[in-house]
Amino acid sequence: MGLLYIVSTPIGNLQDLSYRSVNILKSVDFIITENIHHTKILLKNFSIINKIYSLNKINEKKNTIKYIKKLKKGYNIALVSKAGTPLINDPGFLLVKKSHKKNIRVVPIPGPCAAIAALCASGIKTSSFCYEGFLSSNKNFKKKKIKKIKKEKRTIIFYESPKRLIQTLKILSQEIEPTRKITIARELTKIWEQIITGTMQEIFLFFKKNVNLRKGEIVIILEGSKIYQKKKITQNMKKIFQILSSEISFSNSIKIMQKIYGIKKNFLYNKMIQEKFLNEVD
Ligand code: SAM
């Protein structure tokens, strides 16, 4: 039986390819990749000479069977993706699953991964997190998904296209408490790397204003929810709050609302700040 190596490659900076990865890529019988052109450039940079074959979304089923046969015959294979860690929003899951079924050893060669790089530098809790990959490009599906996960207590990681960043931030601002922390990590390990963390409101306003910064490859890190409140804020309650806050201070209005409705102060505060903010930006 051969070995299947899962080799992480750089997400921008070529110096992030490890010595071990270079040695594996040199020594295996052949390399499989989702993007032959891109992998050829990588190999050339490190003077690695080896055969390269394809494994992408279109040929995944057919080619997985082919590569499993090769592994069973004793060939050692390295799987790489265009960038970062294979299988993380990249092909290879079927091959790994089938390898396990056939008792083929799968060997990870760890290295760059945009999600983990962004998380570690975000300043947002790393003790417990979940990875959600890309949000749907369809606005309604995206909204549904965000509504579904907005009470998640763990830190949440998304990948996002620069074209949809502002739309996503707007939906998040409508659904998420305005004081929750969020990080936008752009162009990690590259010349224009930017990691910006702030409250939901601050980050939305920042990217609303800085159109020229909605570029490059993006990871979003969202702090988990701290709200355990089950009660809902009704339209009627919002109206009452508006009337109150036009007569007395914001914080006194919150206090009165809390007394009347028995809702936690923090929850109420966040909801009302969000309401005020959305009215202002619309
Ligand atoms: N397998 C890759 C990994 O390990 O991160 C992810 C591949 S996925 C198809 C590509 C997405 O990853 C990009 O659209 C972006 O969201 C994120 N990404 C990749 N490289 C990045 C970088 N240098 N900076 C920020 N995000 C990056």
Side-chain angles (χ1 to χ4, degrees), residues 197-216:
T197 298
T199 64
M200 191 62 247
Q201 260 182 20
E202 286 165 350
I203 297 297
F204 177 41
L205 287 179
F206 179 84
F207 282 99
K208 203 166 184 256
K209 217 164 71 186
N210 294 290
V211 182
N212 58 334
L213 292 179
R214 296 182 211 157
K215 281 182 199 156

Side-chain angles (χ1 to χ4, degrees), residues 11-12 81 83-86 88-90 112-115 134 159-160 185-190 217-219:
I11 54 170
S81 58
T85 302
I88 305 301
N89 258 102
D90 278 330
C113 173
F134 282 97
Y159 283 167
E160 188 50 292
R186 295 192 311 117
E187 294 291 88
L188 292 168
T189 78
K190 303 183 199 173
E217 297 196 277
I218 292 171
V219 182

